[in-house]
Amino acid sequence: MKLDSALQEHEEQVDTLLRNAKKYMGALKAWKKACLLGHMGNLQKSAALAADLSIALPETTAETKSAWTFDVRDYLANDDWLKELQAVALERFGLRTLELQDEEKLVSSPIVVRSMPFRNALALGRANWPAIRPMVVAAELKRLRDRNAGGNSQEFVDSLYGACVHLSTKTDPNAKFRDIYDLFCLTPGYKKENPEAAFSQQIYALHRSEVRTARGSHKFEIEYATGSYKEKDVFSITSEDNRLIRYFNIFFK
């Protein structure tokens, strides 16, 4: 069973408890009112109803608690969470994510999502995220992408420009994305926080953004791998309309 379906079913069971609890609270309030008014008939009636409801509440509460049998740790330990989150993100928010093969991680630029089975939680980047219902996680990923898209693209293109100047010349700065990525990976921890799929997402976000220049008004152009390039030098991404885009090089004017 999917986590979302299990939670929906359990939520409905808790709703039943809430309705019963409201009836019990209603009986208690009626009982109190009868005391304030000295209405003996209502006092006896509401007291009897409250007593009956109080007997049923502990039993139904225990039954509802026992009804939750979903194995969250197992769900997070395999790729079930990943597949469900991908599907929900795309269906509800039109948010495409990338699965990192053999790493049990999901990339939703600028965030890498991974599971933490022993905490019954997910990690969104460096943040511990205990609210793991797929639609909640997908909404947060969408919020983070929307919030960071413009600012991150400007910061990213500025860093690309600096890398190109370092790797080529100041008069005609250009470089392969592979060489830039390898340069960035010299920073301790960069590769762990930014796997190749995340770097591809950053290029794609820049490509789709309104950012067109780096610091100093240096305009950039991106070169796509349309010929026979080494695959290790190509950063690929599948766009929202399901097109494969293969990024190779960037140069500044």
Side-chain angles (χ1 to χ4, degrees):
M1 180 183 287
K2 293 181 179 179
L3 177 59
D4 195 67
S5 301
L7 287 169
Q8 179 64 39
E9 181 180 331
H10 200 59
E11 184 181 352
E12 292 170 359
Q13 294 169 336
V14 175
D15 281 339
T16 300
L17 281 180
L18 284 171
R19 287 192 293 270
N20 293 336
K22 286 179 181 178
K23 291 179 181 178
Y24 178 60
M25 288 298 297
L28 291 179
K29 289 179 180 179
W31 192 355
K32 178 179 180 179
K33 184 177 181 180
C35 292
L36 292 172
L37 296 176
H39 196 304
M40 295 300 105
N42 285 350
L43 187 151
Q44 293 176 349
K45 180 181 177 180
S46 56
L49 178 59
D52 290 341
L53 291 171
S54 69
I55 294 173
L57 273 176
E59 183 178 349
T60 54
T61 301
E63 289 175 354
T64 302
K65 179 178 180 295
S66 299
W68 178 253
T69 58
F70 192 91
D71 192 334
V72 177
R73 182 171 295 185
D74 182 67
Y75 172 80
L76 292 174
N78 56 52
D79 64 357
D80 288 350
W81 70 272
L82 191 150
K83 299 297 184 185
E84 187 175 2
L85 180 54
Q86 274 190 311
V88 171
L90 182 59
E91 179 181 348
R92 290 183 177 241
F93 301 98
L95 184 66
R96 288 187 176 274
T97 55
L98 289 178
E99 177 183 352
L100 298 187
Q101 298 293 334
D102 302 323
E103 293 187 42
E104 295 184 352
K105 293 180 181 178
L106 200 65
V107 176
S108 175
S109 183
I111 297 296
V112 176
V113 186
R114 59 185 176 83
S115 65
M116 298 189 294
F118 293 101
R119 294 187 181 180
N120 287 339
L122 295 173
L124 273 57
R126 296 182 179 181
N128 181 59
W129 191 260
I132 65 172
R133 189 163 185 170
M135 62 181 180
V136 175
V137 180
E140 177 64 8
L141 294 177
K142 179 68 164 56
R143 186 189 71 82
L144 290 171
R145 178 173 293 190
D146 291 346
R147 186 191 71 181
N148 291 290
N152 275 5
S153 291
Q154 185 61 65
E155 181 180 340
F156 182 56
V157 75
D158 288 345
S159 65
L160 292 177
Y161 176 75
C164 285
V165 169
H166 178 80
L167 292 168
S168 56
T169 66
K170 292 184 178 180
T171 56
D172 185 26
N174 68 93
K176 294 189 297 185
F177 283 113
R178 166 54 60 189
D179 293 338
I180 295 173
Y181 180 72
D182 289 345
L183 178 64
F184 287 171
C185 286
L186 294 177
T187 302
Y190 180 87
K191 188 171 186 178
K192 182 178 180 181
E193 292 296 326
N194 298 273
E196 291 188 14
F199 189 70
S200 298
Q201 284 275 28
Q202 287 180 299
I203 300 172
Y204 180 62
L206 173 62
H207 174 198
R208 293 178 65 243
S209 75
E210 297 181 357
V211 176
R212 292 294 177 265
T213 60
R215 58 177 180 267
S217 300
H218 296 281
K219 293 183 179 180
F220 70 88
E221 290 188 21
I222 293 175
E223 181 182 348
Y224 306 100
T226 56
S228 55
Y229 293 91
K230 294 179 180 179
E231 283 304 314
K232 73 177 185 66
D233 290 335
V234 177
F235 287 83
S236 300
I237 191 91
T238 301
S239 66
E240 275 80 356
D241 56 2
N242 213 32
R243 292 182 298 111
L244 179 65
I245 304 177
R246 304 171 73 240
Y247 298 112
F248 174 69
N249 192 62
I250 186 169
F251 55 92
F252 293 84
K253 299 179 181 180

